[in-house]
Amino acid sequence: MDNSYKSGAEALLHSLHLEGVELMFGYPGGAALHIYDAIFNQDHVEHILVRHEQGAVHAADGYARATGKPGVALVTSGPGATNAITGLATAYMDSTPIVVISGQVKSMLIGTDSFQETDMIGVSRPIVKHSFLVQKAEDIPEIVKKAFHIATTGRPGPVVIDVPKDFTDPEFKFEFNYPLEINMRSYKPAQAGDSSRIKEAVDLIEHSKRPVIYSGGGVIQDDASDELIELAKLLDFPITNTLMGLGAFPGSDPQFMGMLGMHGTYQANMAMHNADLIIAVGARFDDRITNDPKKFSLQAKKIHIDVDPASVSKIIHADVPIVGSAKECLSMLIQAIKGRDLKINHEEISAWNKQVSDWRDAHGLNHSLLELGPQNGKILPQQVVQSLYKETEGEAFITSDVGQHQMFAAQYYHFDKPRQWINSGGLGTMGFGLPSAMGVQLAYPDATVACVTGEGSIQMCIQELSTCLQYGLPIKIINLNNAALGMVRQWQDMQYGGRYSSSTYENSLPDFKALAESYGHIGIKVAKFEDLESAMKECISLKDRLVFLDVDVDPNEHVYPMLEAGNSMDYMWLGKDKKTW
Amino acid sequence: MKRVIALLMENQPGALSRVVGLFSQRGYNIETLVVAPTSDPTLSRLTMSTEGDEQVVEQITKQLDKLIDVVMVSDLGSSDFVERELMLIKFKKDSFPEDSFDETNIVSNNEEIVNVQIIGTSSELDQLILDTAYSNPIEIVRSGPLGISSDKNTLSIDN
Ligand SMILES: Cc1ncc(C[n+]2csc(CCOP(=O)(O)OP(=O)(O)O)c2C)c(N)n1
Ligand SMILES: [Mg+2]
């Protein structure tokens, strides 16, 4: 036990160290300067200076998603705190464990509209799992302990610690004691599921003829991928993952139907719609999955495993609700299945699997588009993702932004491992891709980390190119440049008669190659299909440099399939004039 | 349908705003809200009434329970319970409806004004307001209902 005397700022840093924090992302300012001085005077926690606080929070988030360990960001009061808000909301929607420490004005100035004062607790309240306003310096160790406990357990989420400047004053020291354990009477997340519910689940499994396993981000967060794979293999049921759940089941395994939902595969959406049993694990039936909930998979019974009781039966009624951690509940389910002489109707199941593969043959994604060469003289965005997949042998960490490029990455890069695919699914935050890639690259310096982005999204946090130079982060930026806010334009094509209201830039785009070079990196421009694969090869082979690969892609390409709004999951657009109804 | 929900929460700054914020954030409405520390000063008890069907109330209680500062939540309407609300009414002396009240209701009385207090269920109080409307009360203050279950169950951290 370390009980030397420390100031609040030193106590904060030492508490982070005792929580196992090795690096944090941040940006200094008046209210945080005592903390910054304490950072300078220690060498356990490395501080990464970003160029915008949004980048700090996304980087901490990316670090957390890739490692499973909590990410930490530090910002100053006022504008520093408000700049962190988009990052917090992003982490909240995707339930990632991060701790954001914000400086606050001195306690006696709170409420006086003092310089750089923002009520951070109030502003962040609806987008955090919890928050703490430090009331005295001596409380800092316990608050840090609680913050990490809350952020990382149950359904994870972001926690804010708002620290008034006077409580970090180097002149005031107190005896430092770090609590070894924390017991909160008001916070006890569920672990194991209810065994009678598990039994009911196995009964449903035995009687099903058209089952589907549907898993989401909860499986990845809870490191339950091995259990998920074991269950799916044991039962031989077709399986689909949400956008957040990709990688939990190997993407290149034939049993995998691909992603489901808004831009899910034909076979995954058809299987969900026609199923008689849905086993949902760590997924929350959000509107990008169900389409109209009233028309969602009406014939299926639903088993819903989730650590968050409020997610169960929130949108879709669960016939068998199982509240508990994905890992625990899946293990219990596997044990229960192995423990009885399971009477699965193998004939029906193999007919069902055949149906799924017929659907795939009919309208599945074409994963060999590269072989087709240029299309109307242009490069298809999907071909760029396929080339990236090929060149990285499917082993890169892929972060993404938001738009068509994100969906193409999700559809065409087969993620075989959990935590390999990192994107803002819940909030859909453009600008997430590059800073989150920094977090991933810092966690895994030797790994290939690629950010699949668009010319719109990359400009939302482009300033982080400077951070990448400072810390030597060799991220590969794959810019699917369609010279438009492509996803917006797709909706304008489909629903607004092709009226492109503010979705193009009228020749105002920067020369990204020159831009990357001016930030001290390597830029490569690809305009012809013939150059794509060699440029990709060069980009990936430059192991210790950041490379900005700017690829002109067909601006008219749309993402398909696409669910038709207000209908069930079998209502899909499959092409510009091809639909399922 | 009106539902009464009771909860225990940490008696800490910010806790109440999280509870109240949850309602606006998730689009639930709060009709009444009463909050006071319990005999254990580290805990506050909060009673609220809201409108909603079974499913909405289930979501509300689950979401409330998820708040880190909330120790316990109970949907009182899920079993028999007693509900009581306090109301204060101000009348002008010359139009005070004497027949509707007895001496024990009167809490202040001077040349101009009579104030009365009434305790009852919310619907009893609603009725009384209708019954005395003819005498033009000049101010009515209601506390919102408190609730307690009729069986041996208690909302307490000791069990
Ligand atoms: C911060 C933010 N603002 C607006 C949007 C709405 N939006 C979703 S996709 C999109 C277009 C993205 O353009 P780009 O990054 O070029 O990707 P593309 O769709 O062209 O591949 C927009 C504006 C968003 N998701 N995030
Ligand atoms: Mg674009």
Side-chain angles (χ1 to χ4, degrees), chain B residues 40-54:
Chain B
D40 172 352
T42 66
L43 288 174
S44 292
R45 179 164 174 144
L46 187 146
T47 313
M48 57 172 61
S49 60
T50 180
E51 282 288 328
D53 60 22
E54 204 65 40

Side-chain angles (χ1 to χ4, degrees), chain A residues 255-459:
Chain A
Q255 199 178 334
F256 186 59
M257 295 188 288
M259 179 171 80
L260 80 166
M262 179 66 118
H263 295 296
T265 64
Y266 177 73
Q267 62 271 22
N269 289 344
M270 291 301 281
M272 288 292 283
H273 180 71
N274 290 286
D276 70 350
L277 175 67
I278 291 175
I279 308 173
V281 193
R284 58 190 174 89
F285 294 93
D286 86 292
D287 52 283
R288 282 292 181 274
I289 300 298
T290 59
N291 215 359
D292 184 344
K294 287 192 221 55
K295 299 177 184 162
F296 172 73
S297 197
L298 297 172
Q299 308 154 47
K301 295 259 190 243
K302 284 99 185 173
I303 299 169
H304 193 173
I305 299 175
D306 205 290
V307 72
D308 174 13
S311 288
V312 177
S313 296
K314 180 175 70 176
I315 312 281
I316 299 294
H317 171 75
D319 299 282
V320 180
I322 304 177
V323 175
S325 93
K327 201 177 179 74
E328 279 291 322
C329 295
L330 283 171
S331 305
M332 289 173 79
L333 195 55
I334 291 166
Q335 287 317 315
I337 290 169
K338 286 182 171 168
R340 78 158 92 161
D341 173 23
L342 196 72
K343 290 180 222 40
I344 283 198
N345 191 334
H346 294 287
E347 231 163 85
E348 298 274 8
I349 298 299
S350 67
W352 174 236
N353 278 324
K354 168 82 170 48
Q355 170 68 75
V356 169
S357 94
D358 288 350
W359 279 325
R360 185 193 317 251
D361 293 345
H363 300 296
L365 300 172
N366 179 353
H367 291 290
S368 315
L369 291 168
L370 270 182
E371 289 154 27
L372 303 180
Q375 297 297 298
N376 301 322
K378 301 209 171 72
I379 304 173
L380 294 178
Q382 298 92 322
Q383 291 175 320
V384 184
V385 176
Q386 289 181 358
S387 167
L388 174 66
Y389 179 72
K390 198 167 137 192
E391 208 49 60
T392 55
E393 295 169 349
E395 289 183 348
F397 284 96
I398 307 292
T399 73
S400 195
D401 273 297
V402 177
Q404 294 181 319
H405 62 271
Q406 172 195 27
M407 292 301 126
F408 291 134
Q411 289 178 329
Y412 289 91
Y413 198 102
H414 307 284
F415 300 98
D416 279 344
K417 301 252 163 58
R419 304 192 179 282
Q420 206 190 338
W421 164 241
I422 288 167
N423 85 129
S424 165
L427 196 68
T429 310
M430 291 171 68
F432 178 77
L434 175 56
S436 62
M438 301 191 315
V440 182
Q441 189 78 76
L442 280 154
Y444 298 108
D446 300 326
T448 302
V449 180
C451 166
V452 175
T453 186
E455 78 305 313
S457 294
I458 193 67
Q459 293 189 80

Side-chain angles (χ1 to χ4, degrees), chain B residues 28-85:
Chain B
Y28 314 139
N29 61 332
I30 305 180
E31 301 240 306
T32 68
L33 179 70
V34 189
V35 55
T38 63
S39 51
D40 172 352
T42 66
L43 288 174
S44 292
R45 179 164 174 144
L46 187 146
T47 313
M48 57 172 61
S49 60
T50 180
E51 282 288 328
D53 60 22
E54 204 65 40
Q55 210 198 332
V56 170
V57 173
E58 183 184 325
Q59 257 300 303
I60 293 177
T61 53
K62 282 175 166 179
Q63 294 290 354
L64 285 169
D65 215 6
K66 226 167 98 171
L67 293 174
I68 308 290
D69 286 333
V70 170
V71 185
M72 261 178 168
V73 186
S74 164
D75 168 13
L76 288 176
S78 61
S79 63
D80 280 351
F81 74 107
V82 179
E83 170 209 310
R84 285 296 177 273
E85 181 172 1

Side-chain angles (χ1 to χ4, degrees), chain A residues 92 121 125-126 128-132 135 150 155 184-187 308-315, chain B residues 10 13 17-18 21-22 24-26 40 42-43 55 58-59 62-63 65-71 157:
Chain A
Y92 182 69
I121 299 294
R125 189 192 44 71
V128 295
K129 184 171 174 188
H130 197 56
S131 53
F132 295 91
Q135 310 275 357
I150 292 169
R155 179 174 178 178
M184 298 176 69
R185 62 183 174 187
S186 62
Y187 177 66
D308 174 13
S311 288
V312 177
S313 296
K314 180 175 70 176
I315 312 281
Chain B
E10 298 289 351
S17 73
R18 287 181 222 274
L22 181 80
S24 62
Q25 185 184 338
R26 299 212 174 249
D40 172 352
T42 66
L43 288 174
Q55 210 198 332
E58 183 184 325
Q59 257 300 303
K62 282 175 166 179
Q63 294 290 354
D65 215 6
K66 226 167 98 171
L67 293 174
I68 308 290
D69 286 333
V70 170
V71 185
I157 54 171

